[in-house]
């Protein structure tokens, strides 16, 4: 098995996919860092201060003014009300929700890319792990080796898991190094609140806990890794079912983009909460953001994603071990 995994890893490295992904992540982090820097500069120029309390007070005033608009939908108004309650909670407890530094940037970047950017990077790796063997004509040679089919596929899947872990690590390292040049490398011990619970009546703060940022980041990385594994497994299944890499990537791309759209439009479509793409933003539950559909929570979304992962893995192995190769 070790030799099979080593062989698959060598194939992946030879395709230079990981290098391309690292370059894309680096460029996006630089753009995101510049955008954050300009936002901070604009706030300082507008308010004439860098004091976070003054900035947060202004955000509270702006949010309150936006809530007075009669053209706002009920769903968006509810989200703003929850955001307003959180802002007031941070101010009342004298905690800066955006402590400057590279660790804070890492958190924001991870939370912003969990449902689309990182899944897209994972899809690039997973979508042709099996289908490329058909297009290159090497599938017959691979299966004529004295190794059982399930072991061949397992080696590919374990290689995918290793590659996904590497992509997440690259994302964390590059976001820390690049953003630290601008915002500094301190802030691992910055306080951050979690445990906000969104209910029918508003924001429940009875279970709010104060954590150091490094602990919060560990949980964020764990949730991002879990989402990436689920998306990678679904892409892996499509690679087994569809011999065309382009077709498999197209299907997965359509699903991810539709998920980003549906998350803002499905509040009244209750059955949509069972779609995997609606449940990808697990880190939102850590922040206390209102879920896309009422009644959803972290446990529910993780269970839905786990079921999709298990079904995709079962279908992949069942089809690969049973189908004819020609």
């Amino acid at each position: 098995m070790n030799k099979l995994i080593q062989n698959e890893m060598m194939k992946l490295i030879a395709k230079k996919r990981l290098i391309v992904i690292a370059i894309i992540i680096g460029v996006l982090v630089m753009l995101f860092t510049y955008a954050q820097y300009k936002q901070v500069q604009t706030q300082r120029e507008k308010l004439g201060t860098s004091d976070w309390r003054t900035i947060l007070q202004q955000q509270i005033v702006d949010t309150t003014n936006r809530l007075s608009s009669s053209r706002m939908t009920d769903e968006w108004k509810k989200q703003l009300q929850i955001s307003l309650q959180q802002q007031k909670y941070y101010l009342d407890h004298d905690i800066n929700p955006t402590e400057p530094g590279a660790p804070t940037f890492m958190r924001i970047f991870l939370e912003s890319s969990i449902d689309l950017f990182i899944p897209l990077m994972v899809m690039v790796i997973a979508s042709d792990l099996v289908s490329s063997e058909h297009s290159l004509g090497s599938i017959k040679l691979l299966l004529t080796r004295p190794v059982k089919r399930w072991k061949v596929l397992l080696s590919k899947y374990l290689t995918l898991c290793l590659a996904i872990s590497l992509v997440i690590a690259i994302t964390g390292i590059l976001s820390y190094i690049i953003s630290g040049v601008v915002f500094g490398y301190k802030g691992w011990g910055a306080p951050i609140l979690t445990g906000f619970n969104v209910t029918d009546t508003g924001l429940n703060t009875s279970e709010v806990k104060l954590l150091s940022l490094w602990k919060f980041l560990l949980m964020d990385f764990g949730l991002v890794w879990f989402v990436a594994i689920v998306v990678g497994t679904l892409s892996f299944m499509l690679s087994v079912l569809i011999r065309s890499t382009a077709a498999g990537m197209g299907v997965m791309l359509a699903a991810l983009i539709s998920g980003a759209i549906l998350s803002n439009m499905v509040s009244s479509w209750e059955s949509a909460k069972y779609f995997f793409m609606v449940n990808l933003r697990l880190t939102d539950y850590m922040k206390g953001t209102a879920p896309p559909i009422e009644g959803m929570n972290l446990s529910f979304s993780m269970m839905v994603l786990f079921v999709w992962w298990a079904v995709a893995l079962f279908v992949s192995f069942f089809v690969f071990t049973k189908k004819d190769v020609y």
Side-chain angles (χ1 to χ4, degrees):
M1 181 60 70
N2 289 336
K3 289 184 178 180
L4 287 172
I5 295 175
Q6 184 179 2
N7 181 53
E8 293 299 329
M9 204 66 190
M10 292 299 292
K11 290 181 184 178
L12 193 60
I13 293 172
K15 294 177 181 178
K16 298 182 180 180
R17 294 283 177 86
L18 292 175
I19 296 176
V20 173
I21 288 173
I23 293 172
I24 293 173
I25 292 172
V27 171
L28 190 65
V29 168
M30 285 189 286
L31 293 174
F32 206 89
T33 300
Y34 180 74
Q36 287 286 96
Y37 173 75
K38 292 298 291 183
Q39 183 180 18
V40 172
Q41 291 295 105
T42 302
Q43 285 181 335
R44 287 178 180 176
E45 293 174 2
K46 180 180 179 181
L47 300 177
T49 180
S50 58
D51 180 54
W52 69 268
R53 295 174 186 83
T54 304
I55 294 174
L56 190 57
Q57 287 172 345
Q58 184 59 47
Q59 289 176 350
I60 291 173
V61 172
D62 292 341
T63 305
T64 303
N65 291 335
R66 291 171 69 184
L67 282 170
S68 61
S69 174
S70 59
R71 299 180 180 180
M72 190 175 298
T73 62
D74 292 339
E75 291 81 5
W76 185 237
K77 184 173 290 187
K78 181 180 179 181
Q79 180 62 58
L80 284 179
Q81 288 171 342
I82 292 169
S83 177
L84 180 63
Q85 288 176 283
Q86 286 179 326
Q87 290 168 344
K88 289 180 177 179
Y89 191 93
Y90 272 105
L91 190 61
D92 292 342
H93 291 77
D94 198 33
I95 296 173
N96 185 358
T98 55
E99 185 77 24
T104 297
F105 179 89
M106 289 172 62
R107 176 181 64 83
I108 295 172
F109 186 76
L110 283 173
E111 292 170 354
S112 301
S113 22
I114 187 173
D115 64 331
L116 191 57
F117 176 66
I118 289 179
L120 285 176
M121 297 298 99
V122 169
M123 181 194 70
V124 170
I125 298 174
S127 58
D128 74 336
L129 278 177
V130 179
S131 59
S132 62
E133 301 286 0
H134 289 281
S135 59
L136 295 173
S138 57
I139 186 68
K140 292 183 180 180
L141 179 62
L142 184 65
L143 296 181
T144 54
R145 299 175 64 182
V147 180
K148 293 183 178 180
R149 284 192 177 193
W150 68 267
K151 285 188 176 181
V152 172
L153 193 64
L154 180 61
S155 67
K156 287 182 175 292
Y157 184 71
L158 292 177
T159 301
L160 172 63
C161 293
L162 289 173
I164 289 173
S165 301
L166 190 57
V167 168
I168 302 300
I170 290 172
T171 302
I173 292 170
L174 288 181
S175 61
Y176 179 71
I177 292 175
I178 295 174
S179 65
V181 175
V182 177
F183 302 114
Y185 296 100
K186 297 181 180 180
W188 290 103
I192 188 167
L193 295 172
T194 186
F196 292 106
N197 185 25
V198 180
T199 62
D200 297 340
T201 56
L203 189 69
N204 181 7
T205 59
S206 61
E207 298 181 0
V208 171
K209 297 179 181 178
L210 184 65
L211 295 178
S212 296
L213 183 53
W214 69 269
K215 293 181 180 179
F216 191 90
L217 269 173
L218 285 178
M219 292 187 284
D220 263 1
F221 270 105
L223 293 176
V224 171
W225 181 84
F226 177 67
V227 167
I229 288 291
V230 173
V231 174
T233 305
L234 289 166
S235 301
F236 185 75
M237 178 189 68
L238 292 175
S239 181
V240 173
L241 297 176
I242 305 174
R243 297 189 177 189
S244 170
T245 300
M249 291 182 69
V251 171
M252 201 64 199
L253 181 62
L256 291 174
I257 294 176
S258 65
I261 297 172
L262 281 173
S263 295
N264 299 318
M265 300 174 60
V266 295
S267 58
S268 58
W269 184 14
E270 189 171 349
S271 58
K273 64 184 179 182
Y274 297 107
F275 293 151
F276 81 91
M277 53 274 199
V278 178
N279 291 274
L280 294 181
R281 295 196 62 87
L282 297 182
T283 52
D284 281 358
Y285 297 113
M286 300 284 290
K287 298 186 297 180
T289 305
I293 300 173
E294 195 171 301
M296 293 175 64
N297 54 41
L298 180 59
S299 299
F300 173 84
S301 290
M302 291 190 71
M303 182 57 64
V304 169
L305 291 176
F306 178 81
V307 171
W308 277 88
W309 169 84
V311 171
L313 200 60
F314 172 79
V315 171
S316 299
F317 278 86
F318 180 80
V319 172
F320 189 80
T321 55
K322 297 295 183 181
K323 74 175 182 179
D324 295 329
V325 177
Y326 53 88

